[in-house]
Amino acid sequence: MVTINTNYEKLKGNYLFSEIAGRVAAYAKEHPDQKIIRLGIGDVTQPLVPAVVQALKKAAQEMGTPEGFRGYGPEQGYAFLRETIAKQDYENRGCDIDADEIFISDGAKGDVGNIQEIFGQDNLVAVCDPVYPVYVDTNVMAGRTGDFNLRTGGYDRVLYMPCTRENGFIPQLPDRTPDLIYLCFPNNPTGAAISKEALQQWVDYANQNGSVILYDAAYEAYITQEGICHSIYECSGAKTCAIEMRSFSKNAGFTGLRLGFTVVPKELVRQGVSLRKLWGRRHGTKYNGAPYIVQRAGEAVYSKEGKAQLKAQIAVYQENARIIREGLTQAGYTVYGGVNAPYLWMETPRGVTSWQFFDQLLKQVQVVGTPGEGFGAHGEGYFRLTAFGTLENTKEALERIRRM
Ligand code: MLT
């Protein structure tokens, strides 16, 4: 008899963003005449920049010629892209990352979800609370988390590190030592950034305890302040304790194109085994590589024109963040984030839960955001808005919320 992976039955409801999409679709069906403004899922709205489009066209043309055609690519990704990343994202920031330590993929979500596969079942997993749900859900699917506990609002075997207004949404070093520590900075959902000193403490802690940090740096392009790391490898000793995941989605508008990468340093060894080798083995077995034309588009992100065009694109989202932050503050809300991140984390009005606030915004002013509770128990009482809308829609959403 076929048996199923019963761990899936332990998942708490639907995937957060699918749940929201479902609720919004149901509302839209009943109110076809209303204009809904979506500031829920962090999906970009600006078109691909010209340098990227040109690279896509050129690579597509190339693939249509006998000389330029390519079949399966190198499983770790094309050297032209890995070398460009090693130089531009790492060497230029003083980090010593070799192109061989970079694994190209179709985006950070898959990588942050899959990375747990190279670790044993018994590892104690630590996550921030609130947290991007993929980290927890994928460990639930793998049977590493125990059951969902209605009383605590979390899984029994997960170590939740509360990120609250009191600690500036930066987790404290835990009393119990975790094996795997998921960190995401600039943070999704709170928009908080971690100082280099604070991140160095985590790196030292992981090295002292033999833990591995799984560092999601998908939002590094939004850092505006000094003293904040774009990569965990800016901290000394990070190569012996950290894996870093990066994405082209938010810094280059690739949410629909799909491209990302994971860095697993050669020095990262546990139980005498190289984690780079394990991840390489998994990658080679389960993945046939991001499309050549998309990897060429990724390369164009680092060209002189690409960088200038993307700087302007990110500036639009940063301006949206400023508009939301200032607008909500003026309207009397307490708002965090939005300075080094494209996410705004606002307190819901007193006595209104985050899902109630979601309903109010949707039904009264047709603005979609993400209820903080969907990111974890400590997200209750908060609501996330993204800065990825168009400028026009962002301004209109703000106007509507202020009216409400
Ligand atoms: C989010 O809204 O949290 C992100 O867009 C989700 C993602 O990047 O997968």
PDB file of all heavy atoms in Angstrom, residues 272-307:
ATOM      1  N   GLY A 272      33.608  15.787   9.341  1.00  0.00           N
ATOM      2  CA  GLY A 272      34.684  15.450   8.411  1.00  0.00           C
ATOM      3  C   GLY A 272      34.275  15.490   6.951  1.00  0.00           C
ATOM      4  O   GLY A 272      35.044  15.085   6.072  1.00  0.00           O
ATOM      5  N   VAL A 273      33.070  15.960   6.666  1.00  0.00           N
ATOM      6  CA  VAL A 273      32.586  15.956   5.282  1.00  0.00           C
ATOM      7  C   VAL A 273      32.385  17.398   4.793  1.00  0.00           C
ATOM      8  O   VAL A 273      31.856  18.241   5.525  1.00  0.00           O
ATOM      9  CB  VAL A 273      31.242  15.183   5.182  1.00  0.00           C
ATOM     10  CG1 VAL A 273      30.685  15.231   3.771  1.00  0.00           C
ATOM     11  CG2 VAL A 273      31.433  13.742   5.641  1.00  0.00           C
ATOM     12  N   SER A 274      32.803  17.655   3.557  1.00  0.00           N
ATOM     13  CA  SER A 274      32.635  18.984   2.970  1.00  0.00           C
ATOM     14  C   SER A 274      31.170  19.208   2.603  1.00  0.00           C
ATOM     15  O   SER A 274      30.587  18.449   1.816  1.00  0.00           O
ATOM     16  CB  SER A 274      33.514  19.072   1.720  1.00  0.00           C
ATOM     17  OG  SER A 274      32.962  20.006   0.814  1.00  0.00           O
ATOM     18  N   LEU A 275      30.586  20.271   3.146  1.00  0.00           N
ATOM     19  CA  LEU A 275      29.178  20.554   2.814  1.00  0.00           C
ATOM     20  C   LEU A 275      29.058  20.997   1.359  1.00  0.00           C
ATOM     21  O   LEU A 275      28.033  20.790   0.713  1.00  0.00           O
ATOM     22  CB  LEU A 275      28.615  21.627   3.749  1.00  0.00           C
ATOM     23  CG  LEU A 275      28.551  21.256   5.236  1.00  0.00           C
ATOM     24  CD1 LEU A 275      27.773  22.314   6.011  1.00  0.00           C
ATOM     25  CD2 LEU A 275      27.932  19.886   5.464  1.00  0.00           C
ATOM     26  N   ARG A 276      30.141  21.584   0.830  1.00  0.00           N
ATOM     27  CA  ARG A 276      30.133  21.976  -0.587  1.00  0.00           C
ATOM     28  C   ARG A 276      29.982  20.725  -1.464  1.00  0.00           C
ATOM     29  O   ARG A 276      29.248  20.718  -2.445  1.00  0.00           O
ATOM     30  CB  ARG A 276      31.438  22.706  -0.908  1.00  0.00           C
ATOM     31  CG  ARG A 276      31.580  23.086  -2.352  1.00  0.00           C
ATOM     32  CD  ARG A 276      32.888  23.816  -2.616  1.00  0.00           C
ATOM     33  NE  ARG A 276      33.172  23.734  -4.039  1.00  0.00           N
ATOM     34  CZ  ARG A 276      33.844  22.746  -4.597  1.00  0.00           C
ATOM     35  NH1 ARG A 276      34.323  21.749  -3.871  1.00  0.00           N
ATOM     36  NH2 ARG A 276      34.051  22.754  -5.903  1.00  0.00           N
ATOM     37  N   LYS A 277      30.683  19.667  -1.060  1.00  0.00           N
ATOM     38  CA  LYS A 277      30.574  18.427  -1.846  1.00  0.00           C
ATOM     39  C   LYS A 277      29.154  17.861  -1.761  1.00  0.00           C
ATOM     40  O   LYS A 277      28.595  17.403  -2.754  1.00  0.00           O
ATOM     41  CB  LYS A 277      31.565  17.377  -1.316  1.00  0.00           C
ATOM     42  CG  LYS A 277      32.977  17.667  -1.714  1.00  0.00           C
ATOM     43  CD  LYS A 277      33.737  16.379  -2.049  1.00  0.00           C
ATOM     44  CE  LYS A 277      35.072  16.711  -2.695  1.00  0.00           C
ATOM     45  NZ  LYS A 277      36.207  16.483  -1.797  1.00  0.00           N
ATOM     46  N   LEU A 278      28.574  17.921  -0.574  1.00  0.00           N
ATOM     47  CA  LEU A 278      27.211  17.388  -0.420  1.00  0.00           C
ATOM     48  C   LEU A 278      26.217  18.190  -1.260  1.00  0.00           C
ATOM     49  O   LEU A 278      25.371  17.627  -1.947  1.00  0.00           O
ATOM     50  CB  LEU A 278      26.764  17.432   1.050  1.00  0.00           C
ATOM     51  CG  LEU A 278      27.438  16.474   2.033  1.00  0.00           C
ATOM     52  CD1 LEU A 278      26.717  16.536   3.377  1.00  0.00           C
ATOM     53  CD2 LEU A 278      27.451  15.058   1.510  1.00  0.00           C
ATOM     54  N   TRP A 279      26.334  19.508  -1.181  1.00  0.00           N
ATOM     55  CA  TRP A 279      25.391  20.352  -1.936  1.00  0.00           C
ATOM     56  C   TRP A 279      25.619  20.142  -3.446  1.00  0.00           C
ATOM     57  O   TRP A 279      24.672  20.075  -4.231  1.00  0.00           O
ATOM     58  CB  TRP A 279      25.557  21.824  -1.544  1.00  0.00           C
ATOM     59  CG  TRP A 279      24.568  22.733  -2.213  1.00  0.00           C
ATOM     60  CD1 TRP A 279      24.853  23.739  -3.083  1.00  0.00           C
ATOM     61  CD2 TRP A 279      23.134  22.725  -2.085  1.00  0.00           C
ATOM     62  NE1 TRP A 279      23.692  24.366  -3.504  1.00  0.00           N
ATOM     63  CE2 TRP A 279      22.629  23.759  -2.908  1.00  0.00           C
ATOM     64  CE3 TRP A 279      22.232  21.943  -1.356  1.00  0.00           C
ATOM     65  CZ2 TRP A 279      21.271  24.036  -3.030  1.00  0.00           C
ATOM     66  CZ3 TRP A 279      20.867  22.220  -1.480  1.00  0.00           C
ATOM     67  CH2 TRP A 279      20.394  23.244  -2.310  1.00  0.00           C
ATOM     68  N   GLY A 280      26.880  19.982  -3.836  1.00  0.00           N
ATOM     69  CA  GLY A 280      27.200  19.721  -5.245  1.00  0.00           C
ATOM     70  C   GLY A 280      26.585  18.405  -5.702  1.00  0.00           C
ATOM     71  O   GLY A 280      26.048  18.289  -6.806  1.00  0.00           O
ATOM     72  N   ARG A 281      26.630  17.419  -4.825  1.00  0.00           N
ATOM     73  CA  ARG A 281      26.068  16.105  -5.156  1.00  0.00           C
ATOM     74  C   ARG A 281      24.556  16.210  -5.339  1.00  0.00           C
ATOM     75  O   ARG A 281      23.970  15.650  -6.255  1.00  0.00           O
ATOM     76  CB  ARG A 281      26.405  15.118  -4.023  1.00  0.00           C
ATOM     77  CG  ARG A 281      25.953  13.708  -4.264  1.00  0.00           C
ATOM     78  CD  ARG A 281      26.778  13.095  -5.396  1.00  0.00           C
ATOM     79  NE  ARG A 281      26.516  11.665  -5.547  1.00  0.00           N
ATOM     80  CZ  ARG A 281      25.479  11.155  -6.207  1.00  0.00           C
ATOM     81  NH1 ARG A 281      24.578  11.956  -6.741  1.00  0.00           N
ATOM     82  NH2 ARG A 281      25.330   9.845  -6.316  1.00  0.00           N
ATOM     83  N   ARG A 282      23.929  16.958  -4.428  1.00  0.00           N
ATOM     84  CA  ARG A 282      22.477  17.138  -4.523  1.00  0.00           C
ATOM     85  C   ARG A 282      22.101  17.919  -5.785  1.00  0.00           C
ATOM     86  O   ARG A 282      21.221  17.530  -6.532  1.00  0.00           O
ATOM     87  CB  ARG A 282      21.959  17.895  -3.287  1.00  0.00           C
ATOM     88  CG  ARG A 282      20.462  17.964  -3.291  1.00  0.00           C
ATOM     89  CD  ARG A 282      19.902  19.160  -2.598  1.00  0.00           C
ATOM     90  NE  ARG A 282      18.468  19.165  -2.837  1.00  0.00           N
ATOM     91  CZ  ARG A 282      17.896  19.735  -3.900  1.00  0.00           C
ATOM     92  NH1 ARG A 282      18.615  20.362  -4.803  1.00  0.00           N
ATOM     93  NH2 ARG A 282      16.601  19.666  -4.066  1.00  0.00           N
ATOM     94  N   HIS A 283      22.824  18.988  -6.007  1.00  0.00           N
ATOM     95  CA  HIS A 283      22.562  19.858  -7.146  1.00  0.00           C
ATOM     96  C   HIS A 283      22.689  19.058  -8.456  1.00  0.00           C
ATOM     97  O   HIS A 283      21.820  19.123  -9.324  1.00  0.00           O
ATOM     98  CB  HIS A 283      23.618  20.977  -7.114  1.00  0.00           C
ATOM     99  CG  HIS A 283      23.170  22.291  -7.653  1.00  0.00           C
ATOM    100  ND1 HIS A 283      22.163  23.022  -7.101  1.00  0.00           N
ATOM    101  CD2 HIS A 283      23.633  23.019  -8.703  1.00  0.00           C
ATOM    102  CE1 HIS A 283      22.026  24.154  -7.768  1.00  0.00           C
ATOM    103  NE2 HIS A 283      22.899  24.167  -8.761  1.00  0.00           N
ATOM    104  N   GLY A 284      23.766  18.283  -8.540  1.00  0.00           N
ATOM    105  CA  GLY A 284      24.012  17.506  -9.755  1.00  0.00           C
ATOM    106  C   GLY A 284      22.963  16.434  -9.981  1.00  0.00           C
ATOM    107  O   GLY A 284      22.628  16.086 -11.121  1.00  0.00           O
ATOM    108  N   THR A 285      22.428  15.908  -8.901  1.00  0.00           N
ATOM    109  CA  THR A 285      21.452  14.821  -9.015  1.00  0.00           C
ATOM    110  C   THR A 285      20.053  15.341  -9.313  1.00  0.00           C
ATOM    111  O   THR A 285      19.315  14.748 -10.092  1.00  0.00           O
ATOM    112  CB  THR A 285      21.406  14.023  -7.689  1.00  0.00           C
ATOM    113  OG1 THR A 285      22.737  13.608  -7.392  1.00  0.00           O
ATOM    114  CG2 THR A 285      20.504  12.811  -7.794  1.00  0.00           C
ATOM    115  N   LYS A 286      19.699  16.467  -8.700  1.00  0.00           N
ATOM    116  CA  LYS A 286      18.292  16.902  -8.771  1.00  0.00           C
ATOM    117  C   LYS A 286      18.046  18.095  -9.676  1.00  0.00           C
ATOM    118  O   LYS A 286      16.913  18.551  -9.785  1.00  0.00           O
ATOM    119  CB  LYS A 286      17.799  17.258  -7.360  1.00  0.00           C
ATOM    120  CG  LYS A 286      17.736  16.067  -6.424  1.00  0.00           C
ATOM    121  CD  LYS A 286      16.862  16.397  -5.234  1.00  0.00           C
ATOM    122  CE  LYS A 286      16.636  15.198  -4.368  1.00  0.00           C
ATOM    123  NZ  LYS A 286      15.749  15.489  -3.246  1.00  0.00           N
ATOM    124  N   TYR A 287      19.102  18.644 -10.273  1.00  0.00           N
ATOM    125  CA  TYR A 287      18.907  19.919 -10.960  1.00  0.00           C
ATOM    126  C   TYR A 287      19.743  19.943 -12.230  1.00  0.00           C
ATOM    127  O   TYR A 287      20.904  19.518 -12.217  1.00  0.00           O
ATOM    128  CB  TYR A 287      19.349  21.033  -9.995  1.00  0.00           C
ATOM    129  CG  TYR A 287      19.040  22.427 -10.450  1.00  0.00           C
ATOM    130  CD1 TYR A 287      17.726  22.824 -10.672  1.00  0.00           C
ATOM    131  CD2 TYR A 287      20.052  23.355 -10.643  1.00  0.00           C
ATOM    132  CE1 TYR A 287      17.441  24.117 -11.090  1.00  0.00           C
ATOM    133  CE2 TYR A 287      19.772  24.648 -11.057  1.00  0.00           C
ATOM    134  CZ  TYR A 287      18.456  25.022 -11.276  1.00  0.00           C
ATOM    135  OH  TYR A 287      18.175  26.292 -11.685  1.00  0.00           O
ATOM    136  N   ASN A 288      19.156  20.456 -13.315  1.00  0.00           N
ATOM    137  CA  ASN A 288      19.917  20.519 -14.568  1.00  0.00           C
ATOM    138  C   ASN A 288      20.351  21.929 -14.941  1.00  0.00           C
ATOM    139  O   ASN A 288      20.730  22.196 -16.069  1.00  0.00           O
ATOM    140  CB  ASN A 288      19.113  19.898 -15.711  1.00  0.00           C
ATOM    141  CG  ASN A 288      19.581  18.488 -16.004  1.00  0.00           C
ATOM    142  OD1 ASN A 288      20.719  18.145 -15.693  1.00  0.00           O
ATOM    143  ND2 ASN A 288      18.728  17.667 -16.575  1.00  0.00           N
ATOM    144  N   GLY A 289      20.307  22.811 -13.998  1.00  0.00           N
ATOM    145  CA  GLY A 289      20.877  24.130 -14.232  1.00  0.00           C
ATOM    146  C   GLY A 289      19.870  25.155 -14.715  1.00  0.00           C
ATOM    147  O   GLY A 289      18.899  24.839 -15.389  1.00  0.00           O
ATOM    148  N   ALA A 290      20.144  26.428 -14.367  1.00  0.00           N
ATOM    149  CA  ALA A 290      19.310  27.533 -14.849  1.00  0.00           C
ATOM    150  C   ALA A 290      19.571  27.694 -16.352  1.00  0.00           C
ATOM    151  O   ALA A 290      20.676  27.414 -16.823  1.00  0.00           O
ATOM    152  CB  ALA A 290      19.679  28.808 -14.097  1.00  0.00           C
ATOM    153  N   PRO A 291      18.563  28.151 -17.099  1.00  0.00           N
ATOM    154  CA  PRO A 291      18.731  28.273 -18.551  1.00  0.00           C
ATOM    155  C   PRO A 291      19.921  29.178 -18.930  1.00  0.00           C
ATOM    156  O   PRO A 291      20.156  30.194 -18.267  1.00  0.00           O
ATOM    157  CB  PRO A 291      17.410  28.900 -19.001  1.00  0.00           C
ATOM    158  CG  PRO A 291      16.438  28.578 -17.925  1.00  0.00           C
ATOM    159  CD  PRO A 291      17.221  28.525 -16.652  1.00  0.00           C
ATOM    160  N   TYR A 292      20.606  28.802 -19.986  1.00  0.00           N
ATOM    161  CA  TYR A 292      21.755  29.587 -20.470  1.00  0.00           C
ATOM    162  C   TYR A 292      21.360  31.055 -20.670  1.00  0.00           C
ATOM    163  O   TYR A 292      22.061  31.962 -20.222  1.00  0.00           O
ATOM    164  CB  TYR A 292      22.267  28.985 -21.787  1.00  0.00           C
ATOM    165  CG  TYR A 292      23.285  29.831 -22.491  1.00  0.00           C
ATOM    166  CD1 TYR A 292      24.570  29.996 -21.955  1.00  0.00           C
ATOM    167  CD2 TYR A 292      22.972  30.497 -23.682  1.00  0.00           C
ATOM    168  CE1 TYR A 292      25.513  30.797 -22.588  1.00  0.00           C
ATOM    169  CE2 TYR A 292      23.908  31.303 -24.318  1.00  0.00           C
ATOM    170  CZ  TYR A 292      25.166  31.448 -23.768  1.00  0.00           C
ATOM    171  OH  TYR A 292      26.097  32.244 -24.399  1.00  0.00           O
ATOM    172  N   ILE A 293      20.217  31.273 -21.324  1.00  0.00           N
ATOM    173  CA  ILE A 293      19.856  32.678 -21.623  1.00  0.00           C
ATOM    174  C   ILE A 293      19.602  33.469 -20.331  1.00  0.00           C
ATOM    175  O   ILE A 293      19.881  34.656 -20.261  1.00  0.00           O
ATOM    176  CB  ILE A 293      18.646  32.791 -22.605  1.00  0.00           C
ATOM    177  CG1 ILE A 293      17.408  32.113 -22.072  1.00  0.00           C
ATOM    178  CG2 ILE A 293      18.986  32.247 -23.975  1.00  0.00           C
ATOM    179  CD1 ILE A 293      16.175  32.371 -22.950  1.00  0.00           C
ATOM    180  N   VAL A 294      19.107  32.799 -19.321  1.00  0.00           N
ATOM    181  CA  VAL A 294      18.858  33.502 -18.044  1.00  0.00           C
ATOM    182  C   VAL A 294      20.193  33.774 -17.329  1.00  0.00           C
ATOM    183  O   VAL A 294      20.383  34.827 -16.703  1.00  0.00           O
ATOM    184  CB  VAL A 294      17.882  32.697 -17.160  1.00  0.00           C
ATOM    185  CG1 VAL A 294      17.651  33.397 -15.830  1.00  0.00           C
ATOM    186  CG2 VAL A 294      16.548  32.504 -17.880  1.00  0.00           C
ATOM    187  N   GLN A 295      21.110  32.847 -17.468  1.00  0.00           N
ATOM    188  CA  GLN A 295      22.426  33.082 -16.848  1.00  0.00           C
ATOM    189  C   GLN A 295      23.139  34.237 -17.551  1.00  0.00           C
ATOM    190  O   GLN A 295      23.840  35.029 -16.923  1.00  0.00           O
ATOM    191  CB  GLN A 295      23.264  31.811 -16.866  1.00  0.00           C
ATOM    192  CG  GLN A 295      22.655  30.719 -15.986  1.00  0.00           C
ATOM    193  CD  GLN A 295      23.626  29.595 -15.679  1.00  0.00           C
ATOM    194  OE1 GLN A 295      24.760  29.816 -15.314  1.00  0.00           O
ATOM    195  NE2 GLN A 295      23.156  28.356 -15.816  1.00  0.00           N
ATOM    196  N   ARG A 296      22.962  34.347 -18.866  1.00  0.00           N
ATOM    197  CA  ARG A 296      23.541  35.506 -19.582  1.00  0.00           C
ATOM    198  C   ARG A 296      22.872  36.796 -19.112  1.00  0.00           C
ATOM    199  O   ARG A 296      23.522  37.831 -18.955  1.00  0.00           O
ATOM    200  CB  ARG A 296      23.355  35.343 -21.102  1.00  0.00           C
ATOM    201  CG  ARG A 296      24.360  34.428 -21.751  1.00  0.00           C
ATOM    202  CD  ARG A 296      25.768  35.030 -21.746  1.00  0.00           C
ATOM    203  NE  ARG A 296      26.738  34.182 -22.406  1.00  0.00           N
ATOM    204  CZ  ARG A 296      28.049  34.237 -22.212  1.00  0.00           C
ATOM    205  NH1 ARG A 296      28.569  35.088 -21.341  1.00  0.00           N
ATOM    206  NH2 ARG A 296      28.873  33.447 -22.854  1.00  0.00           N
ATOM    207  N   ALA A 297      21.558  36.727 -18.874  1.00  0.00           N
ATOM    208  CA  ALA A 297      20.848  37.903 -18.353  1.00  0.00           C
ATOM    209  C   ALA A 297      21.397  38.262 -16.975  1.00  0.00           C
ATOM    210  O   ALA A 297      21.577  39.438 -16.642  1.00  0.00           O
ATOM    211  CB  ALA A 297      19.350  37.620 -18.282  1.00  0.00           C
ATOM    212  N   GLY A 298      21.691  37.251 -16.186  1.00  0.00           N
ATOM    213  CA  GLY A 298      22.270  37.471 -14.855  1.00  0.00           C
ATOM    214  C   GLY A 298      23.627  38.153 -14.953  1.00  0.00           C
ATOM    215  O   GLY A 298      23.940  39.069 -14.184  1.00  0.00           O
ATOM    216  N   GLU A 299      24.403  37.740 -15.936  1.00  0.00           N
ATOM    217  CA  GLU A 299      25.724  38.366 -16.143  1.00  0.00           C
ATOM    218  C   GLU A 299      25.558  39.865 -16.455  1.00  0.00           C
ATOM    219  O   GLU A 299      26.319  40.699 -15.967  1.00  0.00           O
ATOM    220  CB  GLU A 299      26.424  37.644 -17.300  1.00  0.00           C
ATOM    221  CG  GLU A 299      27.829  38.130 -17.573  1.00  0.00           C
ATOM    222  CD  GLU A 299      28.388  37.505 -18.859  1.00  0.00           C
ATOM    223  OE1 GLU A 299      27.605  37.172 -19.780  1.00  0.00           O
ATOM    224  OE2 GLU A 299      29.620  37.354 -18.926  1.00  0.00           O
ATOM    225  N   ALA A 300      24.510  40.163 -17.258  1.00  0.00           N
ATOM    226  CA  ALA A 300      24.286  41.565 -17.661  1.00  0.00           C
ATOM    227  C   ALA A 300      23.925  42.458 -16.472  1.00  0.00           C
ATOM    228  O   ALA A 300      24.103  43.678 -16.522  1.00  0.00           O
ATOM    229  CB  ALA A 300      23.172  41.631 -18.711  1.00  0.00           C
ATOM    230  N   VAL A 301      23.423  41.848 -15.405  1.00  0.00           N
ATOM    231  CA  VAL A 301      23.097  42.606 -14.187  1.00  0.00           C
ATOM    232  C   VAL A 301      24.352  43.306 -13.654  1.00  0.00           C
ATOM    233  O   VAL A 301      24.286  44.387 -13.065  1.00  0.00           O
ATOM    234  CB  VAL A 301      22.510  41.637 -13.128  1.00  0.00           C
ATOM    235  CG1 VAL A 301      22.475  42.240 -11.738  1.00  0.00           C
ATOM    236  CG2 VAL A 301      21.115  41.193 -13.560  1.00  0.00           C
ATOM    237  N   TYR A 302      25.513  42.693 -13.903  1.00  0.00           N
ATOM    238  CA  TYR A 302      26.771  43.229 -13.364  1.00  0.00           C
ATOM    239  C   TYR A 302      27.517  44.106 -14.367  1.00  0.00           C
ATOM    240  O   TYR A 302      28.608  44.582 -14.078  1.00  0.00           O
ATOM    241  CB  TYR A 302      27.689  42.070 -12.947  1.00  0.00           C
ATOM    242  CG  TYR A 302      27.104  41.210 -11.848  1.00  0.00           C
ATOM    243  CD1 TYR A 302      26.364  40.063 -12.135  1.00  0.00           C
ATOM    244  CD2 TYR A 302      27.299  41.546 -10.508  1.00  0.00           C
ATOM    245  CE1 TYR A 302      25.833  39.275 -11.125  1.00  0.00           C
ATOM    246  CE2 TYR A 302      26.784  40.771  -9.493  1.00  0.00           C
ATOM    247  CZ  TYR A 302      26.046  39.633  -9.808  1.00  0.00           C
ATOM    248  OH  TYR A 302      25.533  38.867  -8.809  1.00  0.00           O
ATOM    249  N   SER A 303      26.948  44.286 -15.573  1.00  0.00           N
ATOM    250  CA  SER A 303      27.615  45.148 -16.553  1.00  0.00           C
ATOM    251  C   SER A 303      27.462  46.599 -16.101  1.00  0.00           C
ATOM    252  O   SER A 303      26.622  46.910 -15.238  1.00  0.00           O
ATOM    253  CB  SER A 303      26.985  44.951 -17.936  1.00  0.00           C
ATOM    254  OG  SER A 303      25.654  45.440 -17.907  1.00  0.00           O
ATOM    255  N   LYS A 304      28.257  47.478 -16.717  1.00  0.00           N
ATOM    256  CA  LYS A 304      28.211  48.899 -16.314  1.00  0.00           C
ATOM    257  C   LYS A 304      26.787  49.451 -16.505  1.00  0.00           C
ATOM    258  O   LYS A 304      26.215  50.070 -15.605  1.00  0.00           O
ATOM    259  CB  LYS A 304      29.204  49.676 -17.181  1.00  0.00           C
ATOM    260  CG  LYS A 304      29.619  50.967 -16.587  1.00  0.00           C
ATOM    261  CD  LYS A 304      30.854  51.503 -17.287  1.00  0.00           C
ATOM    262  CE  LYS A 304      30.866  53.001 -17.182  1.00  0.00           C
ATOM    263  NZ  LYS A 304      30.727  53.727 -18.411  1.00  0.00           N
ATOM    264  N   GLU A 305      26.216  49.152 -17.671  1.00  0.00           N
ATOM    265  CA  GLU A 305      24.866  49.672 -17.959  1.00  0.00           C
ATOM    266  C   GLU A 305      23.853  49.019 -17.013  1.00  0.00           C
ATOM    267  O   GLU A 305      22.977  49.684 -16.461  1.00  0.00           O
ATOM    268  CB  GLU A 305      24.412  49.351 -19.398  1.00  0.00           C
ATOM    269  CG  GLU A 305      25.306  49.863 -20.505  1.00  0.00           C
ATOM    270  CD  GLU A 305      26.604  49.079 -20.607  1.00  0.00           C
ATOM    271  OE1 GLU A 305      26.579  47.840 -20.436  1.00  0.00           O
ATOM    272  OE2 GLU A 305      27.667  49.699 -20.833  1.00  0.00           O
ATOM    273  N   GLY A 306      23.988  47.712 -16.868  1.00  0.00           N
ATOM    274  CA  GLY A 306      23.060  46.972 -16.010  1.00  0.00           C
ATOM    275  C   GLY A 306      23.058  47.532 -14.597  1.00  0.00           C
ATOM    276  O   GLY A 306      21.997  47.773 -14.001  1.00  0.00           O
ATOM    277  N   LYS A 307      24.245  47.782 -14.081  1.00  0.00           N
ATOM    278  CA  LYS A 307      24.328  48.281 -12.695  1.00  0.00           C
ATOM    279  C   LYS A 307      23.658  49.646 -12.566  1.00  0.00           C
ATOM    280  O   LYS A 307      22.920  49.893 -11.615  1.00  0.00           O
ATOM    281  CB  LYS A 307      25.797  48.359 -12.268  1.00  0.00           C
ATOM    282  CG  LYS A 307      26.364  47.016 -11.877  1.00  0.00           C
ATOM    283  CD  LYS A 307      27.530  47.163 -10.937  1.00  0.00           C
ATOM    284  CE  LYS A 307      28.817  47.117 -11.673  1.00  0.00           C
ATOM    285  NZ  LYS A 307      30.011  46.951 -10.875  1.00  0.00           N
TER     286      LYS A 307
END
